[in-house]
Amino acid sequence: MRYYPLFLDLTQARCLVIGAGQVGRRKIATLLECGVDDLLVLDPFVAPSVFSANFESPHVRFEQRTFSEGDLDGKTLIFACTSSREVNKTVAAACRARNLPCNSIDAPREGTFIIPSCIEKAPLTVALSTGGASPALARVMRQDLETWLGEGYVPQARFLEKLRPLLLGAGLGSENNARIFRELSAPEFRSAFHTAVKTGEYADVLRMIQAVVPPALHTSLKELLNGLD
């Protein structure tokens, strides 16, 4: 099986999490961080007071009861996170019957999507997966990538994020904008930028940027290079 990688905007999504144990709570926290609009959580074994002590958000609703198929109505994503093999299997089957995306924590192939190991260092998000072969290896790879990205890619991405609206506002046209961004992502510039991050000396990088961006933006460059760590 080959999974299709995808980043979703959940700001207007309605999601369902069945099971509020340790795994379910991790799913809930991530969904709320992603700005999910409406999140229904079901668990017959967790008291509402215990749940509310961990999650206080106008976007999450907790009900101390078991899952029923009607809970799937209007949902965007479903997560089967209970400790019961039978419950998770029932949820996944009901979702497949309705062509609804479901993540089943104990039997990924019964669901329709898996959750990758993610690295988030704004504005970068990197997701990786071993296809279910070894979540432990995915965690190790994530740790290695976090170090690698922090050595220069994250600061470089933050610089380009700040530069982008100024460059687009300069009215150079899409072809010129694309050329400039290519040059500011080329290996030579990337190497110089990563060195500057390590040493704190941005003079060479500044000259390279000035050589490709319009003169009208030169006075803003030093400010854009501040506070990238």
Side-chain angles (χ1 to χ4, degrees):
M1 178 181 291
R2 183 180 184 276
Y3 289 96
Y4 187 83
L6 183 68
F7 287 89
L8 289 175
D9 177 0
L10 296 181
T11 52
Q12 295 184 346
R14 299 177 64 199
C15 300
L16 171 64
V17 174
I18 302 103
Q22 184 177 359
V23 175
R25 290 196 298 271
R26 289 202 301 267
K27 306 295 185 189
I28 295 165
T30 302
L31 289 168
L32 291 175
E33 288 172 1
C34 290
V36 64
D37 183 63
D38 182 85
L39 175 57
L40 174 61
V41 180
L42 306 176
D43 194 315
F45 305 110
V46 174
S49 59
V50 173
F51 182 84
S52 61
N54 290 282
F55 298 100
E56 290 187 11
S57 169
H59 302 288
V60 62
R61 295 177 291 121
F62 175 77
E63 297 183 10
Q64 189 181 17
R65 62 175 176 83
T66 58
F67 164 79
S68 66
E69 191 170 335
D71 294 320
L72 301 178
D73 294 345
K75 298 301 186 293
T76 306
L77 290 178
I78 298 91
F79 297 82
C81 303
T82 77
S83 58
S84 168
R85 174 83 284 277
E86 194 60 36
V87 171
N88 292 342
K89 183 177 182 179
T90 297
V91 173
C95 289
R96 281 195 175 272
R98 293 193 181 200
N99 290 319
L100 291 173
C102 175
N103 172 244
S104 179
I105 64 164
D106 56 354
R109 292 182 182 272
E110 289 182 1
T112 55
F113 71 95
I114 59 176
I115 305 298
S117 184
C118 291
I119 304 159
E120 294 191 55
K121 291 181 177 290
L124 295 182
T125 299
V126 177
L128 60 97
S129 171
T130 59
S134 176
L137 177 60
R139 285 194 294 271
V140 172
M141 293 171 64
R142 182 193 66 202
Q143 292 167 357
D144 289 344
L145 282 170
E146 283 178 336
T147 300
W148 181 64
L149 290 171
E151 290 177 350
Y153 283 99
V154 172
Q156 184 179 355
R158 289 173 180 168
F159 166 71
L160 293 173
E161 181 184 39
K162 294 197 290 185
L163 175 66
R164 187 176 186 84
L166 299 180
L167 189 59
L168 296 181
L172 302 177
S174 58
E175 290 187 8
N176 285 322
N177 289 336
R179 174 185 56 78
I180 291 171
F181 282 119
R182 282 196 301 269
E183 293 190 36
L184 295 180
S185 301
E188 297 82 3
F189 181 77
R190 187 167 65 244
S191 177
F193 202 99
H194 291 199
T195 298
V197 170
K198 292 180 181 179
T199 63
E201 298 293 334
Y202 285 87
D204 290 341
V205 165
L206 184 59
R207 284 192 289 270
M208 295 176 74
I209 300 170
Q210 289 173 336
V212 296
V213 304
L217 299 183
H218 287 189
T219 56
S220 302
L221 295 179
K222 287 185 178 181
E223 181 180 349
L224 297 183
L225 290 169
N226 287 331
L228 296 176
D229 297 337

